[in-house]
Each structure stands twice: as C-alpha cells, then as structure tokens.
Amino acid sequence: MVPSHTLFADDIMIFCRGDSKSIKAISDLLKDYGNCSGQICNFSKSLTYAGGLSQARHTSLANLIGFSLASPPFIYLGVPIFIGKPKACFFLPIADNIRLKLAAWKAKILTMAGRTQLVKSVILSMVVHSISIYNWPGSIIKKIESRLRNFIWSGSIDKKKLVTVA
C-alpha cells in the first residue's frame, strides 16, 4: 500500500498522482482547511517533488498549486528520501552530521564511559532511526563505525589508538 500522506508536528507530506485533477484537489483542500481553521498553508515554504515526471510537467504542476519546485534526494525528518536504490551519496548528510557532532564534543574531559554513553544515546539513535527504513551502503556504515571507534578510544574522530587488552 502506498500512503496518501504522512503527518508530523506541523509538516504534511501528501502523495498523489501527478495529474492536474489531483493537484487541484489538494490545492482546494488546503484552501478550504485554511478558511475553516484559520491555519493558512505557507505556499512559499511548500515544496513539490516528482518522480517519473518530465521537468516541464513537474514545473507546470508546481505552478498550478503555487509550491516551489524541488527534486529528490532530500532529507525529511532526518531520513533521506530518494528515488531508486540506496546509494552512499544519499546518506552522506547524515554521516557528516554525525562527524560534526563527534568533533564538537570535548572528549578530553569525558571518561571512556562518558564517550560511550554519548555515542549510544545520541549518535546511534540518529543512525537507528534511518537504518530502520533503509539498508545503508556498507561504505557509509564502515566510515561511521571508524569515527565512533576512534572517538570512544582516543577522543578524536581522526586519531586512531591501539586498543590494548589486559
């Protein structure tokens, strides 16, 4: 089953056929909702994405509803949305976000247990959220694992440390 929409906080993602009738119905629905509730859709912040449509058709539909034109891949609720098979380039923004978080933490003032807890509670929750939806490419997983391992053992994402076992 293909969903008709997803809702999260003040975001709505609506799925429809890419025809004028569907776009007109969505536009009318948003206007009627705004008239009844007083909550008006900000069309300048709203985007339209299309898969399997020509650029000209996509542009004409976006103009019909008044949304800005956009194209996949994009990040929605921390998860990449794309067309086709998962590729490493789609997950790079998440991997970069993880790298930035790890680099910003002052690992030198944390114990190894503190670093481990940060990784478990913050970083792994980011990854699990997305991995529960897609099978990630192995190259990205290895890169993230390497950074996490380096951070836990040495306190830096770039510096390796030999792990000694007593």
Side-chain angles (χ1 to χ4, degrees):
M1 296 267 319
V2 176
S4 63
H5 61 281
T6 61
L7 305 169
F8 181 79
D10 63 348
D11 283 349
I12 301 173
M13 185 181 287
I14 302 172
F15 303 94
C16 72
R17 291 188 311 257
D19 58 14
S20 300
K21 184 179 176 182
S22 297
I23 298 298
K24 180 78 171 116
I26 290 171
S27 178
D28 291 344
L29 174 75
L30 293 173
K31 288 175 185 170
D32 289 346
Y33 175 78
N35 291 335
C36 292
S37 69
Q39 297 176 334
I40 307 298
C41 178
N42 188 341
F43 287 92
S44 65
K45 288 184 177 179
S46 301
L47 303 172
T48 176
Y49 296 92
L53 292 179
S54 69
Q55 186 68 23
R57 180 78 178 137
H58 187 192
T59 303
S60 113
L61 292 175
N63 291 337
L64 181 66
I65 197 168
F67 288 3
S68 300
L69 194 64
S71 61
F74 61 95
I75 301 288
Y76 182 68
L77 301 177
V79 177
I81 306 294
F82 52 86
I83 298 169
K85 288 178 61 175
K87 297 178 185 169
C89 63
F90 299 148
F91 299 95
L92 284 177
I94 298 172
D96 289 341
N97 193 12
I98 289 170
R99 181 184 54 78
L100 291 173
K101 281 192 181 303
L102 290 171
W105 288 336
K106 304 292 183 212
K108 295 294 181 195
I109 60 173
L110 294 170
T111 64
M112 185 177 289
R115 291 191 295 256
T116 303
Q117 188 59 40
L118 267 176
V119 166
K120 283 182 177 180
S121 62
V122 177
I123 302 299
L124 293 182
S125 65
M126 293 168 58
V127 174
V128 166
H129 174 65
S130 180
I131 262 181
S132 66
I133 298 169
Y134 298 116
N135 286 330
W136 281 34
S139 61
I140 296 292
I141 291 174
K142 286 179 183 176
K143 187 182 292 188
I144 291 172
E145 283 178 343
S146 171
R147 288 177 179 157
L148 294 178
R149 187 174 46 250
N150 290 346
F151 176 77
I152 289 171
W153 287 102
S154 71
S156 168
I157 60 173
D158 299 320
K159 191 168 88 176
K160 287 186 176 183
K161 180 179 178 188
L162 289 175
V163 179
T164 55
V165 177

